[in-house]
Short mmCIF file of all heavy atoms in Angstrom, two decimals:
data_model
loop_
_atom_site.label_atom_id
_atom_site.label_comp_id
_atom_site.label_asym_id
_atom_site.label_seq_id
_atom_site.Cartn_x
_atom_site.Cartn_y
_atom_site.Cartn_z
N SER Z 432 75.44 63.36 0.40
CA SER Z 432 75.18 64.55 1.21
C SER Z 432 74.02 65.36 0.64
O SER Z 432 73.54 65.09 -0.46
CB SER Z 432 76.42 65.42 1.20
OG SER Z 432 76.64 65.85 -0.13
N THR Z 434 74.35 68.29 -0.36
CA THR Z 434 74.91 68.97 -1.53
C THR Z 434 74.69 68.12 -2.77
O THR Z 434 74.29 68.62 -3.83
CB THR Z 434 76.43 69.19 -1.34
OG1 THR Z 434 76.67 69.47 0.02
CG2 THR Z 434 76.95 70.29 -2.24
N GLU Z 511 84.56 65.69 -18.54
CA GLU Z 511 84.08 66.75 -17.64
C GLU Z 511 83.91 68.04 -18.43
O GLU Z 511 84.82 68.43 -19.17
CB GLU Z 511 85.13 67.02 -16.54
CG GLU Z 511 85.14 66.03 -15.40
CD GLU Z 511 83.91 66.15 -14.51
OE1 GLU Z 511 83.32 67.25 -14.46
OE2 GLU Z 511 83.54 65.14 -13.89
N ASP Z 516 88.09 72.91 -23.22
CA ASP Z 516 88.39 74.29 -23.61
C ASP Z 516 88.45 74.34 -25.14
O ASP Z 516 89.39 73.84 -25.75
CB ASP Z 516 89.74 74.71 -23.00
CG ASP Z 516 90.11 76.13 -23.41
OD1 ASP Z 516 89.34 76.77 -24.17
OD2 ASP Z 516 91.18 76.60 -22.97
N LYS Z 695 71.53 37.87 -43.78
CA LYS Z 695 70.28 37.37 -44.37
C LYS Z 695 69.24 37.30 -43.27
O LYS Z 695 69.57 36.99 -42.13
CB LYS Z 695 70.50 35.96 -44.93
CG LYS Z 695 71.48 35.92 -46.09
CD LYS Z 695 71.32 34.62 -46.88
CE LYS Z 695 72.42 34.52 -47.93
NZ LYS Z 695 73.50 33.60 -47.50
N VAL Z 731 33.45 65.52 -33.52
CA VAL Z 731 33.01 64.91 -34.77
C VAL Z 731 32.71 66.01 -35.79
O VAL Z 731 32.21 67.08 -35.43
CB VAL Z 731 31.79 63.97 -34.53
CG1 VAL Z 731 30.54 64.76 -34.13
CG2 VAL Z 731 31.52 63.09 -35.73
N ALA Z 741 59.62 62.62 -42.42
CA ALA Z 741 59.98 61.33 -43.03
C ALA Z 741 61.41 61.42 -43.53
O ALA Z 741 61.86 62.48 -43.96
CB ALA Z 741 59.02 61.02 -44.18
N ILE Z 755 43.55 55.57 -41.82
CA ILE Z 755 42.78 55.62 -40.56
C ILE Z 755 41.99 54.34 -40.36
O ILE Z 755 41.18 54.23 -39.44
CB ILE Z 755 41.83 56.85 -40.49
CG1 ILE Z 755 40.83 56.84 -41.66
CG2 ILE Z 755 42.62 58.14 -40.45
CD1 ILE Z 755 39.65 57.81 -41.45
N ASP Z 756 42.22 53.35 -41.26
CA ASP Z 756 41.47 52.10 -41.14
C ASP Z 756 42.40 50.90 -40.99
O ASP Z 756 42.20 49.85 -41.57
CB ASP Z 756 40.51 51.94 -42.33
CG ASP Z 756 41.24 52.03 -43.67
OD1 ASP Z 756 42.50 52.01 -43.67
OD2 ASP Z 756 40.57 52.14 -44.72
N SER Z 799 62.96 56.74 -52.41
CA SER Z 799 63.12 57.01 -53.83
C SER Z 799 63.37 55.75 -54.66
O SER Z 799 63.31 55.78 -55.88
CB SER Z 799 64.24 58.02 -54.05
OG SER Z 799 65.42 57.56 -53.42
N GLN Z 804 57.82 51.67 -45.70
CA GLN Z 804 57.89 51.16 -44.33
C GLN Z 804 56.95 49.98 -44.18
O GLN Z 804 55.84 50.00 -44.73
CB GLN Z 804 57.42 52.23 -43.35
CG GLN Z 804 58.35 53.39 -43.17
CD GLN Z 804 57.77 54.35 -42.15
OE1 GLN Z 804 57.23 55.38 -42.52
NE2 GLN Z 804 57.85 54.01 -40.88
#
Side-chain angles (χ1 to χ4, degrees):
S432 64
T434 324
E511 281 290 334
D516 178 359
K695 295 198 187 101
V731 68
I755 59 165
D756 55 11
S799 54
Q804 289 182 257

